Amino acid sequence: MTSVASRDRVFGRVDAARVLRDLADARVNYAVEEVRRPAWNIDTYSASLPAEGPGLPDPGGTWERACRFVRDYEFSPPRIVRAVYDPEQPLLGRDMLLEARFYGLHFYCGVRVTEVVDRWRGDARVWGWAYETLEGHLERGKVAYEVVKRCDTGEVSFVVSCYSQGSPALGRVVRLGWQLFGRPTQSRFYRECIARLQRFVESAPDQPPGRSTRTGQLVWAPSDARAYRLDALAIHRIAPG
């Protein structure tokens, strides 16, 4: 990965397209063999969506609508995390640059989609995807987002499965902040992801909540994410790869 150490902390807006390109040579920053409690947080969040009738997913029904929102990262609460990516890249293998907002600090962290799920799991129809953290990320770990329909009952749910820990490469100040606020912010993010997806699916929109913001050929997600005037005064931390 091209080093961005000289841009570790900057004021003003960040050239997200350039930072995203720098992710191409970055590697996943952990090994699965390392993942074990208590050093790692291992979590599952699940919530019900409006049910369908038993059987295969209904055309244009809850399961299909939820899959579209999950595919396009529309469920992410933009005041906590928004993402930029190249929509021309296939979903599997796609690099995404996440911008996490936290009390006037913006942390830019890279992830890569390393799994796309499209299968039956017993009597359940499952679709979703997962990303893993790349070098320079504040965390190490993996998050999977899945939409599940139990075809015997018609129940539909959104399931978030994740494991993570703070990166050992964090500096002392950021490490302290992560120890104090990282875990509560992480939990709030997943709860708001679920609530947001429930709200979109229950209101039955066929379109995303806003118009996608584009940076050249790149797309910011969710589509109602906006840059704010005060971004020019924020401190942006771009961890070196």
Side-chain angles (χ1 to χ4, degrees):
M1 176 179 179
T2 302
S3 175
V4 293
S6 62
R7 295 181 287 133
D8 182 63
R9 287 181 177 84
V10 298
F11 287 96
R13 301 189 188 280
V14 168
D15 184 350
R18 179 180 176 186
V19 181
L20 179 63
R21 288 195 301 269
D22 287 346
L23 297 178
D25 296 325
R27 297 172 296 180
V28 171
N29 63 355
Y30 76 99
V32 175
E33 294 76 17
E34 299 177 73
V35 180
R36 64 176 72 88
R37 290 189 174 98
W40 290 70
N41 298 311
I42 303 175
D43 302 298
T44 300
Y45 301 83
S46 180
S48 297
L49 300 174
E52 299 182 348
L56 295 175
D58 297 337
T62 295
W63 188 84
E64 286 193 357
R65 293 199 309 275
C67 287
R68 285 201 298 271
F69 287 125
V70 170
R71 178 198 64 202
D72 296 336
Y73 206 62
E74 290 290 348
F75 57 83
S76 180
R79 289 189 176 273
I80 302 177
V81 175
R82 63 177 187 162
V84 64
Y85 63 89
D86 181 353
E88 297 302 316
Q89 278 193 324
L91 180 57
L92 184 61
R94 175 182 293 170
D95 289 336
M96 300 173 64
L97 181 66
L98 305 184
E99 179 195 36
R101 298 166 176 263
F102 184 75
Y103 290 107
L105 296 175
H106 295 183
F107 295 93
Y108 283 80
C109 303
V111 298
R112 179 170 296 137
V113 178
T114 55
E115 182 180 7
V116 174
V117 178
D118 186 4
R119 63 172 179 260
W120 289 89
R121 189 177 293 153
D123 60 5
R125 183 72 176 88
V126 184
W127 189 90
W129 54 277
Y131 60 61
E132 294 182 90
T133 54
L134 300 178
E135 294 167 318
H137 201 293
L138 293 172
E139 297 181 80
R140 303 198 299 163
K142 180 178 181 178
V143 185
Y145 302 103
E146 296 182 339
V147 184
V148 181
K149 177 176 180 181
R150 288 190 55 184
C151 294
D152 57 340
T153 65
E155 295 173 284
V156 182
S157 58
F158 178 45
V159 182
V160 181
S161 306
C162 50
Y163 53 78
S164 65
Q165 67 168 196
S167 171
L170 294 179
R172 286 180 296 176
V173 174
V174 177
R175 184 189 302 275
L176 177 60
W178 180 258
Q179 291 171 345
L180 293 174
F181 303 111
R183 183 64 170 161
T185 301
Q186 182 186 58
S187 298
R188 180 166 65 93
F189 170 71
Y190 293 127
R191 290 196 303 270
E192 292 196 20
C193 284
I194 287 173
R196 184 175 162 94
L197 183 65
Q198 287 176 315
R199 185 168 68 251
F200 291 162
V201 172
E202 288 169 2
S203 62
D206 293 325
Q207 301 297 325
R211 175 177 290 182
S212 295
T213 302
R214 289 183 174 265
T215 303
Q217 294 183 335
L218 305 180
V219 170
W220 282 100
S223 57
D224 56 344
R226 292 290 179 267
Y228 298 98
R229 285 180 298 174
L230 292 180
D231 283 357
L233 301 177
I235 298 175
H236 301 267
R237 183 180 187 278
I238 308 172

